Amino acid sequence: MYKLYGAKNVASFTPHICLIKTEADFEFIQVDMYNKEHLGEEYLSLNPNGRIPVLIDNTVKDEPLVLYETAAISLHIADHHPQANLLPPLRSDARSHAYKWLMYFTNTIQTYLLVYYYADRYTSDSKSIPANQAAMEKHISTAFNIVAEELKDKRSFLLGDTPYLIDYFLLMLSDWAHEFKIQNGPLSHGALKNYLERVKVLPEVQAALKEEGFSPSF
């Protein structure tokens, strides 16, 4: 039914969890990033940006649907499998907040993390890299602090007692931040640290970790 092109501990992790939660038939195809398979002609025909993930949906009537961008793929899966409860009900306030958090994670935290990690790609002056990384580190810390404030009321997940795809996304970004050794990162906030432990042990998350063959950095 689906093919998800991904790799260990990269942006395919969130849609991978989503597919497991749907209980739909899918194939997880490991892309060999070490040997730059994602930059080969075959993969670039699916995603000209050469980035992971890519989803192929064979459920459409005429021809397979090819999607890239993690948030778009995750929303597509949620929309086509409402029984999986990956998002709150349509037209609810909770649904709107889910969109807000997904956009915040994609446009703000993920962007900061990528600029931090790939700092050399964002400047033509190598001498500016340490200063740029220091600036990004402050932005990342502030962003995680904002999220931590939302969790101080001791709710189980971002929107209450039910985990949604935004919780998987935040777990993914938090793992990256911890792996990058960001100062004052997600684990420096007690409420956020406890929350991440709850998300990490969800059955669908554990299944994705097993299939991809890695453990979170915390």
Side-chain angles (χ1 to χ4, degrees), residues 138-155:
K138 289 182 180 179
H139 288 316
I140 294 165
S141 177
T142 298
F144 277 116
N145 184 61
I146 289 171
V147 178
E149 286 294 318
E150 288 286 323
L151 295 164
K152 279 190 173 181
D153 62 1
K154 301 186 184 302
R155 70 184 80 169

Side-chain angles (χ1 to χ4, degrees), residues 67-195:
L67 279 179
Y68 48 84
E69 294 298 326
T70 299
I73 292 171
S74 300
L75 289 172
H76 176 80
I77 295 168
D79 287 345
H80 285 74
H81 296 273
Q83 78 286 351
N85 206 28
L86 290 165
L87 286 173
L90 276 169
R91 293 179 292 278
S92 66
D93 289 349
R95 182 84 165 213
S96 298
H97 281 298
Y99 291 153
K100 173 196 71 179
W101 283 120
L102 185 60
M103 297 309 109
Y104 185 67
F105 296 155
T106 300
N107 297 338
T108 301
I109 299 182
Q110 185 174 7
T111 298
Y112 291 157
L113 286 167
L114 292 177
V115 174
Y116 175 88
Y117 188 71
Y118 297 108
D120 58 312
R121 299 181 182 180
Y122 295 91
T123 180
S124 58
D125 179 11
S126 60
K127 294 180 181 178
S128 70
I129 290 177
N132 291 346
Q133 286 185 312
M136 286 301 106
E137 196 164 37
K138 289 182 180 179
H139 288 316
I140 294 165
S141 177
T142 298
F144 277 116
N145 184 61
I146 289 171
V147 178
E149 286 294 318
E150 288 286 323
L151 295 164
K152 279 190 173 181
D153 62 1
K154 301 186 184 302
R155 70 184 80 169
S156 296
F157 301 103
L158 271 172
L159 297 181
D161 294 329
T162 302
Y164 295 113
L165 67 85
I166 54 173
D167 297 292
Y168 311 148
F169 208 115
L170 181 55
L171 175 68
M172 179 180 74
L173 297 181
S174 298
D175 184 44
W176 295 357
H178 189 256
E179 190 173 343
F180 298 166
K181 295 180 170 55
I182 299 296
Q183 293 294 318
N184 299 314
L187 269 64
S188 64
H189 306 282
L192 183 50
K193 181 179 179 180
N194 293 335
Y195 156 85

